Amino acid sequence: MSSQTSTGMATPVTYPPPEQASTGNTTVPYTFPQAKLKLQQTQPGRTPLVLVACGSFSPITFLHLRMFEMASDFVRFNTNFEVCGGYLSPVSDAYKKAGLAPGHHRVEMCSRAVEHSSWLMVDPFETVNCDENGEPAYVPTARVLRHFDHEINTVLGGIEGTDGVRRKAKIALLAGADLVMSMGEPGLWSPVDLGVILGEYGAFIIERSGTDIDEALATLRQYEDNIWVISQVIQNDISSTKVRLFLKKDLSVRYLIPDPVVEYIEEHGLFQDEQSSKKKNNDTSSTGGKDKEKEKPTTADGTSTPSSSTEETTQQS
């Protein structure tokens, strides 16, 4: 997420080194999640790797989860890394993207989606950051990666190798092809942001049908040694946008997103347009008595008009 002016043009931002990074202002007490982080390697001679996917996750889909598994397989067979953890980092409410549910709902949906994963975690860092007035603060992707670098390599002291020596973990962005396509667009990202994200950390990119990723990569040649492109053997074009559309039309989204996420959406009435909500309320009230006692309150999904921000991440839109 490059820093931008009111005109939408990217402006350079200087980020502090990882050892000087901090969590900043937060709306609630924050603790870095590490329960599933592998702090000791099992494969000798490999560099520890932590994958970070930033995105709206409004809602999270099976494709978001599959991206991590595809990346894990790719890393195992094609690189000299050992995956030691994977993180979902839901974007701040300050992003103000159309269809963006409130941050606490998105964090909870992601948490339910990865509950039974042995290595995937959810970091609420972006959603709890706030400005001096207590309002949600926009967190650039470069700063997010610095945050993970700080927490894992500075606070925790890195990952212990099979030889007993602690080493810095490589922090890398995991994203869909849409992101690297936007990075190839002149003027959309500041050189400083690209230098931090692609130069300092690197990215694993999942190919998407219909995108010319080679064209985008041609403009990012200086970072080609730090970008890994992963092919989708089984094409999957599930997106959060399509899921929200189904929900607004009162269509089933089961088997597009995890069951616990479906149940959470139904419980909180997320992603329903005003007309659908009124219809459901009228239908429920007309039954009266026992059914009315079971009625659950609905919650607004926080939908707003898109901002001028150009940064996209995984195929979550």
Side-chain angles (χ1 to χ4, degrees):
M1 302 177 185
S2 56
S3 176
Q4 297 179 335
T5 65
S6 59
T7 61
M9 294 300 293
T11 55
V13 176
T14 301
Y15 298 102
E19 61 272 12
Q20 296 178 13
S22 66
T23 57
N25 298 321
T26 59
T27 55
V28 295
Y30 170 80
T31 302
F32 180 70
Q34 62 182 73
K36 300 178 186 178
L37 182 64
K38 185 192 293 185
L39 293 174
Q40 186 171 34
Q41 290 184 257
T42 57
Q43 302 173 30
R46 291 190 173 232
T47 301
L49 171 70
V50 174
L51 297 168
V52 179
C54 302
S56 299
F57 307 117
S58 189
I60 187 171
T61 72
F62 278 124
L63 178 54
H64 294 130
L65 302 176
R66 277 296 303 161
M67 288 176 66
F68 280 96
E69 295 299 327
M70 285 186 280
S72 178
D73 286 341
F74 178 87
V75 167
R76 188 157 51 99
F77 290 109
N78 299 280
T79 74
N80 197 38
F81 296 116
E82 178 183 353
V83 175
C84 293
Y87 287 90
L88 295 157
S89 182
V91 73
S92 166
D93 286 344
Y95 191 38
K96 296 188 182 301
K97 178 183 177 180
L100 189 69
H104 65 281
H105 284 313
R106 291 181 286 112
V107 168
E108 183 60 27
M109 286 188 285
C110 288
S111 297
R112 294 191 180 200
V114 303
E115 181 179 0
H116 299 295
S117 169
S118 63
W119 66 289
L120 297 182
M121 294 160 280
V122 183
D123 186 3
F125 173 70
E126 292 188 67
T127 63
V128 300
N129 260 264
C130 61
D131 60 21
E132 61 275 7
N133 298 317
E135 295 298 319
Y138 183 72
V139 186
T141 295
R143 185 185 163 201
V144 174
L145 296 178
R146 282 278 168 89
H147 156 72
F148 279 97
D149 193 354
H150 170 73
E151 293 289 349
I152 294 172
N153 290 322
T154 302
V155 177
L156 296 178
I159 306 296
E160 183 179 333
T162 56
D163 57 0
V165 177
R166 301 191 74 85
R167 296 177 175 82
K168 287 186 62 175
K170 180 175 181 62
I171 311 298
L173 183 68
L174 174 63
D178 291 357
L179 178 67
V180 76
M181 294 289 289
S182 73
M183 288 179 168
E185 290 286 334
L188 293 186
W189 291 74
S190 76
V192 172
D193 282 324
L194 291 178
V196 172
I197 297 168
L198 298 180
E200 187 174 339
Y201 292 108
F204 287 82
I205 305 297
I206 307 294
E207 277 190 321
R208 188 178 187 178
S209 59
T211 58
D212 188 356
I213 196 168
D214 290 335
E215 180 180 346
L217 291 174
T219 64
L220 302 170
R221 290 296 183 195
Q222 60 182 312
Y223 307 116
E224 62 182 353
D225 292 338
N226 220 15
I227 299 175
W228 293 265
V229 178
I230 304 169
S231 299
Q232 280 201 70
V233 178
I234 300 176
Q235 293 297 318
N236 185 337
D237 66 350
I238 297 174
S239 71
S240 298
T241 300
K242 293 175 182 177
V243 171
R244 292 196 303 269
L245 181 60
F246 270 45
L247 289 167
K248 288 181 179 180
K249 291 184 176 181
D250 201 22
L251 298 173
S252 171
V253 293
R254 288 196 181 273
Y255 313 119
L256 295 177
I257 60 179
D259 280 349
V261 178
V262 175
E263 293 161 5
Y264 187 87
I265 290 171
E266 292 175 348
E267 178 184 349
H268 294 275
L270 300 176
F271 310 116
Q272 296 179 1
D273 60 22
E274 188 175 343
Q275 185 175 357
S276 296
S277 298
K278 287 181 178 178
K279 181 180 182 299
K280 286 199 171 186
N281 288 337
N282 290 337
D283 289 346
T284 306
S285 61
S286 66
T287 62
K290 189 177 296 184
D291 287 341
K292 190 170 183 179
E293 291 176 3
K294 296 179 181 178
E295 180 181 351
K296 294 183 175 69
T298 57
T299 305
D301 68 359
T303 300
S304 57
T305 56
S307 69
S308 62
S309 175
T310 58
E311 178 172 340
E312 269 301 332
T313 52
T314 62
Q315 302 167 38
Q316 81 280 353
S317 58

